[in-house]
Amino acid sequence: MKIAFYGSSLLSSYWNGAATYYRGLLKALSRRGYDIVFYEPDAFDRQRHRDIEVPDWCDVVVYEATPDALMQVACCAAQADIVVKASGVGFEDEALLRAVLDHARNDALTVFWDVDAPATLSELRNDAAHPLHEELKRISLVLTYGGGDPVVWDYRALGAAECVPIYNALDPETHFPVARDSRFACDLAFLGNRLPDREARVEGFFLEPAGALEDQKFLLGGSGWGDKPMPANVSWLGHVGTRDHNAFNVTPKAVLNISRDSMASNGFSPATRVFEAAGAGACLITDAWAGVELFLTPGEEILVARDGADVVEIMCTLTPGRAKAIGAAALRRVLAEHTYTLRAERVDAILKAHFERETVEAAE
């Protein structure tokens, strides 16, 4: 079956945290026989910061961030059996959603793939005129980056015909243990772009603990932090491309995951970074969020901090030996239960079930 997938970017992770998610899932779906074309706008300077070339498992169409170019690629939806519009494409999202639904064939499966469901649902609750309220009536299926039952219940209450979370996972071909790299040597590292709904949490879980642990070295990767006041023991690297993520994860004694406000409040939303770090065998400390135990066992496969004081306590008592054991346990768990191959099996079953129902209904 042919999939037309409209998303932010497959080729660049620059200001695009969904890149790893897209790559892992679409590669795994391709191996299950799907013919995929990914449509991404030339926006946010991402094409100048590509970190992969066009892969052999997916065609990629890069279009200009103009209304005319948007309409041209939207017309291509008519060629697909499955039409996917992701959230957060970054250029005229509402117009793109309307256009691809207008051009999708009547027998096509239309999917809204929400890679930031807590934020999207907050917008919908606060804006009765949001276009997605009306467009949900034309969408066959909502898939989400995470969120668990709370997100499913909210989407169904808003009129979604079906909603299923497809969680982040590990692609062991791209994220795996590597040799330590002196560029990333430190006690605790955090990788994340500066975003308004995460900045205060970065201050509380990373910068304030750094200030309290002056004898330890902290490393910050990600875009947008250049003018942020930081303790003297924090070094800022700027954007870290995906090719360096394995070394960034495996070199420090521990790495930190900090959820955005909406995902932390909602829970059941493990970031891509959780599985990237575990796949490299890193010792991961995460801020607390509901559902973490469904993915990794606290205290054995991941360390959980309720606040910055917990981060300080963990870093004062964490030995290299325990950090190594936690990372090894996390790696075993994600390889066994949380790979994109397994996630793609679930997506494949969902898609095929839809077409089987359509065939049965047409025959009745």
Side-chain angles (χ1 to χ4, degrees):
M1 285 187 284
K2 295 184 177 181
I3 300 178
F5 198 112
Y6 298 83
S8 52
S9 180
L10 189 77
L11 302 179
S12 176
S13 63
Y14 186 69
W15 287 102
N16 179 36
T20 300
Y21 182 70
Y22 291 149
R23 293 167 187 174
L25 273 170
L26 297 185
K27 180 168 69 172
L29 285 171
S30 173
R31 290 176 175 172
R32 300 188 70 84
Y34 290 88
D35 181 4
I36 306 168
V37 182
F38 192 99
Y39 298 90
E40 62 179 73
D42 186 356
F44 301 104
D45 213 22
R46 289 181 181 136
Q47 298 308 313
R48 291 182 55 204
H49 292 85
R50 288 188 182 187
D51 43 14
I52 66 168
E53 294 304 317
V54 177
D56 58 7
W57 40 264
C58 179
D59 291 328
V60 179
V61 174
V62 179
Y63 60 95
E64 293 182 7
T66 65
D68 287 345
L70 180 150
M71 291 306 299
Q72 289 175 12
V73 296
C75 290
C76 298
Q79 303 168 15
D81 305 296
I82 302 166
V83 178
V84 179
K85 162 62 175 70
S87 66
V89 171
F91 175 73
E92 295 290 343
D93 270 82
E94 295 168 5
L96 178 61
L97 178 60
R98 286 193 299 270
V100 298
L101 291 175
D102 287 344
H103 287 93
R105 302 194 313 259
N106 290 335
D107 63 344
L109 172 63
T110 52
V111 180
F112 180 65
W113 206 315
D114 195 345
V115 296
D116 194 359
T120 302
L121 289 166
S122 177
E123 291 179 14
L124 291 171
R125 285 190 291 267
N126 294 325
D127 183 3
H130 195 292
L132 187 55
H133 285 290
E134 191 66 26
E135 301 303 344
L136 276 175
K137 300 175 184 177
R138 297 203 285 162
I139 293 168
S140 311
L141 171 66
V142 175
L143 298 177
T144 69
Y145 176 97
D149 287 344
V151 160
V152 173
W153 297 331
D154 282 353
Y155 258 117
R156 287 179 176 171
L158 290 167
E162 186 176 5
C163 177
V164 182
I166 305 297
Y167 294 106
N168 282 305
L170 170 69
D171 179 354
E173 295 180 0
T174 58
H175 293 93
F176 46 81
V178 298
R180 293 164 60 88
D181 188 322
S182 60
R183 292 177 299 164
F184 307 123
C186 66
D187 294 286
L188 183 64
F190 170 69
L191 179 61
N193 293 330
R194 187 179 184 180
L195 299 171
D197 63 346
R198 183 167 56 192
E199 185 167 355
R201 293 175 66 80
V202 173
E203 292 172 356
F205 281 88
F206 184 73
L207 296 178
E208 290 175 11
L213 297 170
E214 296 179 355
D215 59 334
Q216 295 194 25
K217 182 178 180 180
F218 287 65
L219 198 62
L220 174 63
S223 299
W225 298 103
D227 61 351
K228 181 72 174 179
M230 299 182 193
N233 59 334
V234 177
S235 297
W236 175 56
L237 296 174
H239 175 66
V240 179
T242 53
R243 64 177 61 87
D244 285 326
H245 283 192
N246 289 327
F248 184 95
N249 286 322
V250 79
T251 302
K253 183 166 68 174
V255 292
L256 183 64
N257 173 70
I258 303 173
S259 305
R260 291 166 48 208
D261 289 340
S262 57
M263 289 189 172
S265 298
N266 187 86
F268 303 93
S269 301
T272 306
R273 173 148 179 73
V274 169
F275 299 103
E276 284 188 7
C283 176
L284 181 66
I285 303 169
T286 184
D287 58 335
W289 41 273
V292 62
E293 69 281 353
L294 299 178
F295 304 95
L296 293 166
T297 302
E300 298 177 12
E301 298 163 337
I302 193 170
L303 298 173
V304 178
R306 296 162 298 179
D307 52 29
D310 278 357
V311 175
V312 171
E313 181 178 354
I314 289 170
M315 292 306 299
C316 285
T317 59
L318 183 65
T319 65
R322 185 173 183 230
K324 185 176 181 180
I326 290 170
L331 175 57
R332 290 192 296 270
R333 176 73 178 275
V334 296
L335 286 173
E337 299 182 19
H338 302 302
T339 65
Y340 281 116
T341 297
L342 294 172
R343 300 289 193 259
E345 287 180 9
R346 179 160 172 73
V347 174
D348 183 37
I350 292 167
L351 300 180
K352 287 179 177 175
H354 169 83
F355 284 105
E356 288 170 2
R357 288 196 300 270
E358 292 289 304
T359 300
V360 170
E361 291 173 3
E364 292 178 344

